[in-house]
Amino acid sequence: MIYMDNAATSWPKPESVWEAVLRVGKTIGANPGRAGHQMAIDAGRAIYNARVAIARLFQFPDPLRVVFTLNATDALNLAIFGLLKPGDHVLTTRLEHNAVARPLYILQHRGVEVTYLDGDDYGRIDPDEIKQNRKANTKALILNHASNVTGAMQDLENIVKAAKALDLLVIVDAAQTAGVFPIQMEAWGIDLLAFPGHKGLLGPQGTGGLCIMPGIDLEPLRYGGTGSQSESELQPLCLPDRFESGTPNTPGIAGLAAGVEYIHQFGQAKIEAHERMLTQQLMEGLAGLKGVRLMGPPIGESRAAVLSLTVDGMEVAEMGFLLDKAFNIAVRTGLHCAPLAHRRSGTFTTGTVRLSPGIFSTETEIKEVVAAITQLVNEANTI
Amino acid sequence: MIYMDNAATSWPKPESVWEAVLRVGKTIGANPGRAGHQMAIDAGRAIYNARVAIARLFQFPDPLRVVFTLNATDALNLAIFGLLKPGDHVLTTRLEHNAVARPLYILQHRGVEVTYLDGDDYGRIDPDEIKQNRKANTKALILNHASNVTGAMQDLENIVKAAKALDLLVIVDAAQTAGVFPIQMEAWGIDLLAFPGHKGLLGPQGTGGLCIMPGIDLEPLRYGGTGSQSESELQPLCLPDRFESGTPNTPGIAGLAAGVEYIHQFGQAKIEAHERMLTQQLMEGLAGLKGVRLMGPPIGESRAAVLSLTVDGMEVAEMGFLLDKAFNIAVRTGLHCAPLAHRRSGTFTTGTVRLSPGIFSTETEIKEVVAAITQLVNEANTI
C-alpha cells in the first residue's frame, strides 16, 4: 500500500516509537505524578523527558509549560477558549482548520469579534493586513503555519514579528508543519503553539499539546484531579498541572518523545528537503495532465507536503475509491475540515483529492502515484 | 515489585492489550473516519468495535453514543459542563473526586446551585436524602459508584432508581468500579456514565469515555474537526462525532477493547470476587495492629478494592517511602484528589496510605504487604 495521507496522521511510525510505548506501558506503567513510589516517579520522568524534547524542538524556554493534550484540536480549544473573552477582537485567516474556525464561531456568539484576513490568492496574509485590521480591542492573531487543504504556508516568522510589534498575542496551529519545518517560538514571539503528536512529530495517535509562553495565563478547559494541591477546591495555578487534569496518555507521550528523538537523529532539515522534493515531483508529474487542477501555490513557492487537486469531469470520491481499490494508494478525498479554505480555492462543493507524502515516502512511490493518476485521467478524458 | 496502586491505574495490563495497540498502530495506523481508503476504514472499525464492547459491558443500548475521551476526568467535565446551566440545582456527595468537585466548584461561581448530601458515616447516601434535598430546579444527581479514598460503595441501583423516580438526571463516575462491578445503565436508569479506560477496564492510559443515553444532549467541551459535516461552521449534531473532535487515540482505544474482551473472557464476577477476597485478607491482616486505623466501611460490607489507612505516630509519606524502598511495595500516599472525602474521614490534614489490589494481585502479595506493614508498625510502636 502506498500511503499518501500523512496530513491526517503519519504512517508508519519509526520502530522506536512503538518500542517506547511498550517499554513504558509494560515496565513503568504507573500513574505519573500521583504517588511517590518508584514506578510512578519513573513514569513522571518519561513524560518530563517528552516535555524537554518538545521544548527543544520548538526553541521554547520552559519544559514545564509544554502541556499535553488529547490532540491538536484539544490544544487549540484550550488556547482559544482559555484566552478570549467577550469584547475581545481576534484576527484570523481563511485557511484555518475547523479546530480553529468552529471554536471562533462559537465565541462570536458569545461576544468575541472575529476578522478573517483575506490574504493573497492562496490565503497567505502579510504584516500590512494585520496592521490595517487591528483595532483597539484586538487581542490576538490566530493562524496556521500551513493549510491542510492547499499546503500554502504562511511567512510565519515575519507575520509573528509584525503582530508582536502591534502588541498582539499570537496563537499558531502547527498541525501541518510541526516536526518538518523549523519553528522558533521564543525568537519569533509565538505565545501559544498547538501541535499534534501523531503527524510530523511521528508519535502515536492520542497525543498533542500546547506550548504556553511564560506570562500567559489561560482558563482551563478541564478541571479535576492533578495529583497536586489535592486539598484545594481550585485548579492548581502551577503548570503543567493546571491544564493536565486526569491521567495522561503516558505510553503515548513516551512514544511521542521517541518520535521527536527520531526527527532529531534524522535531521529536521533533511526531512523538510525530502518532503519538498517529493511534493515537487508530484506537482511536476501531474501539472501537465489535461483537466487536472492543482490547488495552492505554484511549484517553487514554499508549501507543506500537501497537494490538493481536482480533475474535470471526475468526482473526487470516485477518484479516491479507484486509487484505493485499483492501485492500493491511500489518499483523502472531500472537504478537509476547513470549509473556508475550500471556499477560497473554489472547491467548497466538490472537495479535493489530497495527497500528502511523508518522511518515509519514496520517489518510487511518487512515480507510481503519478502513473496511477495519469491513467485515471486519461481514461476519464477518453470516455 | 508488589503493585498496590491499581486505583490510580491498573498494572500490569493483559498481554493482549499491548498486542492490540501494536497491531492497530502498525498495520492500520490511519486516521479513522476521515478518509475513504481501506486503512482508514479499518481504523474506524477498530474504534467501533471498542464502542460495542463498552456498550455491552455497561448494558447500554447504543454503541454510537459511547464517546471516547482522554480520561474519565475529561468525560466528567464534558458531562458536567455540558449539562448544567446557571439556575440549575444539582445534588452530589461528599465522596466525589476532584474531577467532579472542581467542575462543580467552578459552576457554583457561574450560578449553579450545589447541595452536598452527607450520607451515613461513610458518606453513602440513601434515597430519602435525595427526596429531602430535591428542589423545583434540581436537574441532576452526580455521584461516584465507589470512593477512591475509602472504597465506600454507593447502593447505585437503588439510588439511581430513586433519583429517576424524582425525574432527576443521573451522572455516575465509575472510575473505581468500571470493569469490576456490574453496572446496568439502561435497567437502572443512569443517564451519563463516565469511565476511565486504564483502571478496571485494563486498557492503556490515555483512554476513557462517556456513555450518553439517547435523548440527552450536551454542549460539547471541544469544537473542531470531526471528519463529518466538514462544510459546516457548526459542530455536527450526530454522535459520537459531536463530542469527539480531533484525531482519537486509535491504538489506545483498540487496547481498551482488548482489555474489555479480557474481562469478558475472565468473567467480571470472578474479578469482583478475587478483589473482594484480597481486600478482605488485607483488612483482616491489618485490623488488629496497634495504632492502625482503617478507613471506610467495616469488613463484610461492600466496598471497592481500595483500602486507606493511617498509623498513629507515623507520617503517611514516610510509610509510603519505606514500603517502596525497603519492601518494594508501591502504594499511594497523601490526599487522593478528593478533599471532601478526606474531611469526611478525618484525614484532611494527614492524608492516608492507600492500598489498591487488582485483578493480577495475589494472596502471596497481600501476605507480604501485611507482613511489611506489621513490621513498620511494630518498629514505630517500639520507638
Side-chain angles (χ1 to χ4, degrees):
Chain A
M1 200 258 294
I2 296 177
Y3 184 75
M4 285 286 134
D5 198 14
N6 288 281
T9 197
S10 58
W11 187 84
K13 311 294 183 188
E15 194 55 38
S16 58
V17 168
W18 297 116
E19 283 165 9
V21 167
L22 281 199
R23 183 179 55 76
V24 166
K26 287 188 174 186
T27 66
I28 52 173
N31 200 322
R34 278 159 178 79
H37 61 77
Q38 194 56 48
M39 197 160 78
I41 292 167
D42 291 344
R45 189 168 298 144
I47 292 186
Y48 182 72
N49 289 342
R51 296 191 210 279
V52 170
I54 293 286
R56 183 171 71 160
L57 184 72
F58 297 133
Q59 303 192 27
F60 176 74
D62 184 354
L64 290 176
R65 299 182 71 90
V66 175
V67 166
F68 289 115
T69 59
L70 177 55
N71 47 41
T73 297
D74 191 17
L76 286 164
N77 275 257
L78 168 56
I80 293 169
F81 286 112
L83 189 71
L84 299 174
K85 301 280 166 282
D88 289 340
H89 174 235
V90 65
L91 302 175
T92 190
T93 84
R94 298 199 181 273
L95 298 184
E96 302 312 308
H97 187 274
N98 273 338
V100 167
R102 282 179 173 162
L104 289 180
Y105 185 79
I106 291 288
L107 285 176
Q108 278 183 281
H109 289 260
R110 295 183 191 162
V112 171
E113 213 181 331
V114 182
T115 298
Y116 295 86
L117 304 178
D118 282 320
D120 66 8
D121 286 351
Y122 305 108
R124 297 173 299 193
I125 63 172
D126 70 28
D128 279 349
E129 224 177 336
I130 300 170
K131 206 164 182 175
Q132 285 152 18
N133 287 280
R134 181 228 191 182
K135 305 201 286 189
N137 61 335
T138 307
K139 186 169 195 173
L141 168 69
I142 307 179
L143 80 171
N144 63 27
H145 192 181
S147 161
N148 71 311
V149 176
T150 65
M153 279 192 81
Q154 302 284 4
D155 178 8
L156 196 60
E157 179 176 356
N158 287 316
I159 291 170
V160 174
K161 287 180 173 170
K164 295 312 290 179
L166 296 166
D167 279 332
L168 305 187
L169 295 171
V170 182
I171 304 178
V172 173
D173 169 6
Q176 292 305 326
T177 56
V180 179
F181 293 88
I183 295 174
Q184 299 183 28
M185 278 193 74
E186 191 164 23
W188 299 355
I190 300 169
D191 296 287
L192 294 154
L193 183 85
F195 61 89
H198 62 99
K199 296 184 179 181
L201 297 182
L202 307 178
Q205 289 175 26
T207 60
L210 185 68
C211 299
I212 305 170
M213 278 295 280
I216 310 271
D217 188 34
L218 304 172
E219 280 292 307
L221 199 59
R222 291 185 280 268
Y223 297 80
T226 49
S228 65
Q229 295 176 37
S230 275
E231 72 289 357
S232 172
E233 291 143 328
L234 296 171
Q235 194 71 356
L237 290 172
C238 63
L239 268 71
D241 304 32
R242 181 164 176 74
F243 303 114
E244 288 186 355
S245 283
T247 302
N249 179 1
T250 315
I253 291 168
L256 170 56
V260 175
E261 178 57 28
Y262 188 90
I263 292 166
H264 186 66
Q265 295 293 329
F266 194 100
Q268 188 170 268
K270 272 177 64 184
I271 299 171
E272 183 188 340
H274 177 69
E275 293 192 2
R276 190 189 320 120
M277 185 263 292
L278 296 180
T279 308
Q280 184 162 336
Q281 184 190 346
L282 206 47
M283 292 175 80
E284 286 169 351
L286 298 173
L289 295 178
K290 193 180 160 195
V292 169
R293 295 166 197 262
L294 304 182
M295 310 288 137
I299 294 174
E301 293 192 17
S302 71
R303 68 185 298 150
V306 171
L307 181 63
S308 265
L309 58 91
T310 58
V311 177
D312 290 349
M314 207 168 177
E315 297 275 348
V316 297
E318 183 195 359
M319 194 160 156
F321 180 83
L322 291 171
L323 286 171
D324 185 33
K325 297 301 173 199
F327 298 95
N328 209 14
I329 296 169
V331 303
R332 181 161 165 190
T333 60
L335 298 174
H336 310 293
C337 297
L340 293 175
H342 282 282
R343 281 190 207 277
R344 196 96 190 76
S345 63
T347 55
F348 183 67
T349 50
T350 56
T352 68
V353 171
R354 187 180 70 181
L355 303 160
S356 49
I359 181 175
F360 298 119
S361 303
T362 65
E363 289 179 70
T364 310
E365 286 181 330
I366 299 295
K367 267 184 208 162
E368 289 185 43
V369 171
V370 169
I373 294 176
T374 304
Q375 186 179 331
L376 289 177
V377 168
N378 288 341
E379 282 166 11
N381 286 339
T382 55
I383 289 168
Chain B
M1 200 258 294
I2 296 177
Y3 184 74
M4 285 286 135
D5 197 13
N6 287 280
T9 196
S10 59
W11 187 83
K13 311 295 182 189
E15 193 54 39
S16 58
V17 168
W18 297 117
E19 284 165 8
V21 168
L22 280 200
R23 184 179 55 77
V24 166
K26 287 188 174 185
T27 67
I28 52 173
N31 200 322
R34 278 160 177 76
H37 62 76
Q38 194 55 49
M39 196 159 78
I41 292 167
D42 290 344
R45 189 168 298 143
I47 292 186
Y48 182 72
N49 290 342
R51 297 189 208 281
V52 171
I54 293 287
R56 183 171 71 161
L57 184 72
F58 298 133
Q59 303 192 27
F60 176 74
D62 185 354
L64 291 176
R65 299 182 70 91
V66 176
V67 166
F68 289 115
T69 59
L70 177 56
N71 47 42
T73 297
D74 191 17
L76 286 163
N77 274 258
L78 168 57
I80 293 169
F81 286 111
L83 189 70
L84 298 174
K85 301 279 166 284
D88 289 339
H89 173 235
V90 64
L91 302 175
T92 189
T93 84
R94 298 200 182 272
L95 298 184
E96 302 312 308
H97 187 274
N98 273 339
V100 167
R102 283 179 174 163
L104 288 180
Y105 185 79
I106 291 288
L107 284 176
Q108 278 183 281
H109 289 260
R110 295 184 192 162
V112 171
E113 213 181 331
V114 182
T115 298
Y116 294 87
L117 304 178
D118 282 321
D120 66 8
D121 286 352
Y122 306 108
R124 297 173 299 193
I125 63 171
D126 71 29
D128 279 349
E129 223 177 338
I130 300 170
K131 205 164 183 175
Q132 286 152 18
N133 288 280
R134 181 227 191 183
K135 306 201 285 187
N137 62 334
T138 308
K139 186 168 194 174
L141 168 69
I142 307 179
L143 80 171
N144 63 26
H145 193 180
S147 161
N148 71 311
V149 176
T150 65
M153 278 192 83
Q154 302 284 4
D155 179 6
L156 195 60
E157 180 177 356
N158 287 317
I159 290 170
V160 174
K161 286 181 174 170
K164 296 311 291 179
L166 296 167
D167 280 332
L168 305 186
L169 296 171
V170 182
I171 304 177
V172 173
D173 170 5
Q176 293 304 327
T177 56
V180 179
F181 293 87
I183 296 175
Q184 299 183 28
M185 277 194 74
E186 191 163 23
W188 299 355
I190 299 168
D191 297 287
L192 293 154
L193 183 85
F195 60 88
H198 62 99
K199 296 185 179 180
L201 296 182
L202 307 177
Q205 289 176 25
T207 60
L210 185 68
C211 298
I212 305 170
M213 278 294 279
I216 310 272
D217 189 34
L218 304 172
E219 281 293 307
L221 198 60
R222 291 185 279 270
Y223 296 80
T226 50
S228 66
Q229 296 176 38
S230 275
E231 73 288 357
S232 173
E233 290 143 328
L234 296 170
Q235 193 72 355
L237 291 170
C238 64
L239 270 71
D241 304 33
R242 182 164 175 75
F243 304 114
E244 288 186 354
S245 283
T247 302
N249 180 0
T250 314
I253 291 169
L256 170 57
V260 175
E261 178 58 27
Y262 188 90
I263 292 166
H264 186 67
Q265 295 292 330
F266 194 99
Q268 188 171 268
K270 273 178 63 185
I271 299 171
E272 183 189 339
H274 177 70
E275 294 191 2
R276 190 189 320 119
M277 185 264 291
L278 296 179
T279 308
Q280 185 162 336
Q281 183 190 345
L282 206 47
M283 291 175 80
E284 285 169 351
L286 299 174
L289 295 178
K290 192 179 161 194
V292 169
R293 296 168 196 262
L294 304 182
M295 310 288 140
I299 293 174
E301 293 193 19
S302 72
R303 68 185 300 150
V306 171
L307 181 64
S308 264
L309 58 91
T310 59
V311 177
D312 290 350
M314 204 168 179
E315 297 275 347
V316 297
E318 182 194 0
M319 194 159 157
F321 180 81
L322 291 171
L323 285 172
D324 186 34
K325 298 300 173 202
F327 298 94
N328 209 13
I329 296 169
V331 303
R332 181 163 164 188
T333 60
L335 299 174
H336 309 294
C337 297
L340 292 175
H342 282 282
R343 282 190 206 277
R344 196 94 191 79
S345 63
T347 55
F348 183 68
T349 50
T350 56
T352 68
V353 171
R354 186 181 71 180
L355 304 160
S356 50
I359 180 175
F360 298 120
S361 303
T362 65
E363 290 180 68
T364 310
E365 287 181 330
I366 300 294
K367 268 185 207 161
E368 289 185 43
V369 171
V370 169
I373 294 177
T374 303
Q375 187 180 330
L376 289 177
V377 168
N378 288 341
E379 283 166 9
N381 287 337
T382 54
I383 290 167

